[in-house]
Amino acid sequence: MRSFRDSGNISKEDANVTVRGWVQDVRNLGGISFITLRDRHGTLQITMPKKKIEPGLFESLTKLPRESVIAVTGEVKESNQTALGVEIIPSSFELYSEAGVPLPMGVVDKVNVEMDTRLNNRFMDLRKPEIRAVFEIRSMVIELISEAMIKNGFVSINTPKIVASGAEGGATLFSVDYFGKPAYLAQSPQLYKQMLMSAGFDRVFEIGPAFRAENSNTNRHVTEFISFDGEMSWIDGEEDITAMIEEVMDHVLRGLKEKAKKHLDTIGKEVGIPKRPYPILTYSECIRMVNEAGLPLRYGDDLGTEGEKAIGDIMSEKGNDLYFITEYPEEAKPFYIMRKEGTDLSFSFDLDYKGQEISSGGQREHRYRELVGNMEKKGLDPKDFDSYLDAFRYGMPPHGGWGIGVDRLVAKILDLPNVREAILFPRDTSRLVP
Ligand code: AMO
């Protein structure tokens, strides 16, 4: 195999190298021409002094359409005209793939392209370093999450994504024809991660796809997202769960600050590390705060996009980008959440980040009879949940957990205006391709 170099590991000490990449730009000044060759790590300059290189080579390289993929072999020369301090004088090249003309959209042109056009041509959009950097960072977020969870004794799991009953309400279920039987795409791993508490795993986590037939076009809802779920046994209360989330979030944000500088610089962002402990607001306090901010919400209402944003603005001013909201009315929460006896409240919480919900969770109802009672009160038929309920019939420890939307988390870390910016190939009401 040839000794390949890329823009990340080339130096003036290299004598003769082969580099590969996309032809980002060709500039022909007559007596000399230049190619900006782009690879994963950056760009390299290929310099072609007409008199010093073979005429055929000059012609062939100079007429290459932008975005063609080539390999160039040549001599490395020191240069004070380029960012890397070197340029390559080609002696041969190989054309792997000639790009069609015109391009569906530009890679480096400074024109504003609509999000739809970008997503329709996502392979092209992702050639932009600042767009690809988001996904390099996302990959690090996922790695850091796993690192924190494994360090804390959690077992990594995978649960089914084709399921027989929904856990998060009938309105957002996607139906699947499963060999003639009704089935659904999993809205969350909720029922399975809880069943594993009965199995004795004590601590599990999953980072996997979740599906919601969310029939609304917002900048924070998609129909397929990646959920980071955690579930843990032997808790004394929801505080044990919020403490665990706080630890993971802190690990992720500090890890990014330490390891993702190059990619953050590419996007021009910094990662803030919110103060610990993360403040805890009650739902009632939140209603009061949004009322004071002029929004006419009533007790029992969903805080909604506007309400969450109003609270986020107040909290961010105090330097609190991450905060929990607890003591939700039980009516607003799913059947698996434990109710606070003698009140209308539940042992549940949301975690909001810069004015947007990124997670919800809580202590679960682990007592069989009470759980069945919760289902009935919510108009669900316990028979539809038979196999889940079995896990509660024969010994279930007290437990609780959370689900964090990874896409929303990444979007918020990087202040991206739309969750779709943090998803390679987003799915929503109108998008099924690419
Ligand atoms: P919930 O339904 O609140 O809770 O979802 C958890 C988190 O998942 C993300 N999320 C979404 N992200 C993008 N598009 C969507 N359509 C979407 N829906 C949800 C959000 C949200 O906070 N089983 C519980 C969690 C638990 O109690 O363990 C659940 O799924 O960031």
Side-chain angles (χ1 to χ4, degrees):
M1 201 165 164
R2 279 174 285 175
S3 141
F4 287 109
R5 285 280 184 279
D6 58 43
S7 59
N9 71 2
I10 199 162
S11 76
K12 56 184 192 302
E13 278 71 47
D14 290 306
N16 213 53
V17 295
T18 299
V19 291
R20 300 175 288 192
W22 288 257
V23 174
Q24 181 166 292
D25 195 24
V26 186
R27 278 173 301 139
N28 186 357
L29 309 182
I32 188 163
S33 68
F34 305 95
I35 284 181
T36 307
L37 190 72
R38 189 185 64 248
D39 62 23
R40 176 176 170 183
H41 302 285
T43 56
L44 280 162
Q45 182 170 290
I46 315 293
T47 304
M48 297 163 285
K50 202 167 188 174
K51 292 206 177 116
K52 292 197 186 145
I53 68 168
E54 200 196 304
L57 193 59
F58 182 93
E59 297 308 326
S60 316
L61 278 168
T62 303
K63 71 171 204 311
L64 282 174
R66 285 199 292 167
E67 296 303 315
S68 298
V69 175
I70 60 172
V72 176
T73 300
E75 191 190 340
V76 180
K77 285 201 122 177
E78 200 169 346
S79 159
N80 54 14
Q81 308 285 314
T82 68
L84 291 176
V86 296
E87 60 189 351
I88 294 164
I89 317 295
S91 51
S92 67
F93 91 105
E94 202 174 325
L95 176 61
Y96 290 128
S97 161
E98 182 172 322
V101 181
L103 297 170
M105 60 178 275
V107 175
V108 282
D109 308 326
K110 293 269 174 279
V111 281
N112 272 341
V113 182
E114 296 273 321
M115 190 168 202
D116 251 356
T117 309
R118 288 179 41 215
L119 292 178
N120 286 341
N121 300 285
R122 193 58 153 163
F123 69 94
M124 201 81 193
D125 186 44
L126 287 161
R127 289 183 189 180
K128 297 178 195 153
E130 70 278 16
I131 304 289
R132 214 169 49 248
V134 171
F135 297 94
E136 300 267 7
I137 292 168
R138 183 183 161 117
S139 164
M140 288 176 158
V141 167
I142 289 174
E143 188 187 333
L144 287 160
I145 289 174
S146 302
E147 204 174 86
M149 296 305 280
I150 286 169
K151 195 175 81 190
N152 280 286
F154 284 75
V155 177
S156 166
I157 58 161
N158 301 103
T159 59
K161 301 304 160 211
I162 306 174
V163 296
S165 49
E168 317 295 346
T172 61
L173 275 171
F174 273 119
S175 297
V176 176
D177 174 5
Y178 196 67
F179 307 111
K181 284 194 210 113
Y184 309 100
L185 296 182
Q187 296 161 304
S188 76
Q190 185 62 38
L191 307 185
Y192 292 93
K193 61 179 183 169
Q194 287 193 259
M195 285 157 80
L196 293 172
M197 296 301 99
S198 159
F201 279 89
D202 285 6
R203 291 179 163 213
V204 299
F205 79 102
E206 175 166 9
I207 301 171
F211 305 90
R212 307 268 171 113
E214 204 81 61
N215 199 0
S216 56
N217 194 12
T218 76
N219 61 12
R220 60 187 198 160
H221 288 100
V222 279
T223 51
E224 178 177 343
F225 65 98
I226 297 297
S227 185
F228 155 39
D229 277 80
E231 199 70 20
M232 52 201 266
S233 285
W234 316 118
I235 58 167
D236 291 320
E238 63 191 275
E239 311 74 46
D240 293 343
I241 309 162
T242 50
M244 191 64 232
I245 296 183
E246 190 174 309
E247 194 170 328
V248 180
M249 288 300 302
D250 196 61
H251 182 79
V252 168
L253 298 176
R254 282 180 195 282
L256 283 184
K257 210 174 170 69
E258 195 184 309
K259 298 179 189 163
K261 183 162 183 342
K262 180 181 156 209
H263 301 303
L264 289 165
D265 285 350
T266 304
I267 319 179
K269 296 279 176 197
E270 277 184 28
V271 173
I273 312 285
K275 278 187 276 187
R276 292 177 75 180
Y278 301 163
I280 296 177
L281 306 169
T282 64
Y283 167 81
S284 301
E285 267 174 80
C286 287
I287 292 290
R288 230 182 1 255
M289 283 161 77
V290 297
N291 286 162
E292 278 164 17
L295 293 173
L297 289 188
R298 282 195 303 236
Y299 185 85
D301 286 347
D302 184 23
L303 291 173
T305 313
E306 293 283 293
E308 285 174 21
K309 190 173 172 312
I311 297 162
D313 290 345
I314 298 167
M315 296 306 283
S316 288
E317 245 171 56
K318 297 187 211 156
N320 299 124
D321 278 348
L322 274 164
Y323 43 92
F324 291 102
I325 304 175
T326 58
E327 298 195 7
Y328 276 89
E330 57 86 10
E331 219 182 307
K333 289 291 170 179
F335 67 85
Y336 48 77
I337 291 286
M338 189 181 267
R339 293 154 177 251
K340 243 180 212 175
E341 262 153 50
T343 72
D344 70 335
L345 302 175
S346 62
F347 289 107
S348 65
F349 61 83
D350 280 3
L351 175 67
D352 282 28
Y353 188 16
K354 299 177 188 169
Q356 187 174 101
E357 177 206 312
I358 59 159
S359 175
S360 27
Q363 174 156 14
R364 317 304 187 189
E365 182 50 79
H366 63 279
R367 299 161 299 179
Y368 174 76
R369 234 186 300 274
E370 281 77 358
L371 182 58
V372 170
N374 281 0
M375 286 178 169
E376 284 165 347
K377 271 191 214 120
K378 302 237 176 235
L380 297 166
D381 185 351
K383 277 201 210 74
D384 292 339
F385 295 88
D386 253 355
S387 71
Y388 166 72
L389 284 171
D390 276 349
F392 293 75
R393 246 182 227 133
Y394 305 107
M396 175 64 97
H399 65 281
W402 70 88
I404 294 183
V406 171
D407 322 274
R408 283 193 192 176
L409 170 62
V410 173
K412 280 289 157 186
I413 292 175
L414 301 175
D415 297 315
L416 305 173
N418 192 318
V419 70
R420 290 165 184 77
E421 295 281 5
I423 303 175
L424 285 169
F425 298 103
R427 289 285 172 268
D428 59 29
T429 47
S430 56
R431 185 168 290 282
L432 198 51
V433 287

